[in-house]
Amino acid sequence: MNAPVLPYSDELKRKAIHLLALSMPVGLLVVGRPTALLVFVPLALFALLADVARQRITSVRTAFLKVFGPLMRPEELPPLGRPLILNGATWMCLSTALCAFLYPEPVAAAALVMLMLGDAAAAILGRRLGKHHFRGSTKSWEGTAAFFVVAAIATLPFGVSTLMSVMGQPPLSLLQIGLGALVAAVVEALPFPLNDNIRVPVLAGFVMILV
């Protein structure tokens, strides 16, 4: 059974946060892994603790819902005291810290950009243009295609040697970018139990490392 769908206007606002989150992969390229991890790890821990608090402490939950409630999916709002369900922003912070820890800067940053922009394209364009859905899923072929195209185009700058050298980073090959975007799009569409904010960049980064 499909989870309730967030209203389209709120989906647009939610995906706008993905665009703001682009500062994290860009910052990773500029300052390097050691410095970035000093920011990303505490940020992930803070997000995790805040997410736990809003599901266990009434006053925190009330304040949280006033600010972020309209942007959260219904399944991210369990009753107080029920089993924990992390929201997308928390997963994004955890994913950023994990990718920065696991992969070199260009691979980690590219994988995160694929997630942030590809996922936004899949949600926004898929909701509007999606006509052919995967069986038993709200995901569509059109949304997955939008994910792949946007993710690949958005990460093409990671293959430009002149641009990457300015940031002191080696460029990625077009094969790495293409396969990384393809894996990211497919993994986002498949009904894996692990949150897509984790599985998409981690598996896309893994493939780019293998290439």
Side-chain angles (χ1 to χ4, degrees):
M1 184 176 181
N2 291 327
V5 178
L6 197 68
Y8 189 73
S9 59
D10 290 335
E11 187 71 61
L12 291 176
K13 297 174 185 176
R14 183 182 173 98
K15 294 311 176 185
I17 298 176
H18 279 217
L19 301 182
L20 295 176
L22 286 171
S23 59
M24 293 192 287
V26 172
L28 173 60
L29 285 175
V30 173
V31 305
R33 289 172 70 194
T35 302
L37 284 170
L38 291 176
V39 176
F40 295 160
V41 172
L43 179 63
L45 291 175
F46 174 80
L48 182 60
L49 291 174
D51 219 359
V52 172
R54 61 103 182 173
Q55 296 177 68
R56 293 293 183 266
I57 303 173
T58 302
S59 58
V60 175
R61 177 182 174 85
T62 300
F64 195 94
L65 291 179
K66 285 182 179 179
V67 179
F68 301 110
L71 303 181
M72 298 184 70
R73 302 188 191 285
E75 64 269 22
E76 295 175 334
L77 297 170
L80 200 69
R82 292 292 181 85
L84 294 172
I85 297 178
L86 301 183
N87 67 62
T90 299
W91 282 116
M92 183 75 76
C93 291
L94 292 171
S95 176
T96 300
L98 182 60
C99 286
F101 176 77
L102 291 175
Y103 304 130
E105 290 92 334
V107 170
L112 290 167
V113 169
M114 288 175 183
L115 166 68
M116 294 169 183
L117 294 183
D119 183 65
I124 294 171
L125 297 179
R127 288 278 295 271
R128 282 299 188 197
L129 306 177
K131 303 296 183 183
H132 304 88
H133 291 84
F134 298 107
R135 181 174 297 180
S137 173
T138 58
K139 304 294 178 71
S140 68
W141 286 97
E142 292 85 355
T144 299
F147 188 117
F148 169 71
V149 171
V150 171
I153 292 176
T155 49
L156 281 177
F158 289 84
V160 179
S161 58
T162 303
L163 177 62
M164 295 301 287
S165 64
V166 170
M167 297 186 178
Q169 303 293 341
L172 301 178
S173 69
L174 293 181
L175 181 60
Q176 284 177 298
I177 291 171
L179 285 180
L182 179 61
V183 168
V186 171
V187 168
E188 191 274 340
L190 294 177
F192 291 134
L194 186 62
N195 188 275
D196 59 357
N197 285 336
I198 286 283
R199 69 178 189 255
V200 168
V202 169
L203 291 178
F206 181 70
V207 167
M208 286 188 279
I209 286 290
L210 288 181
V211 174

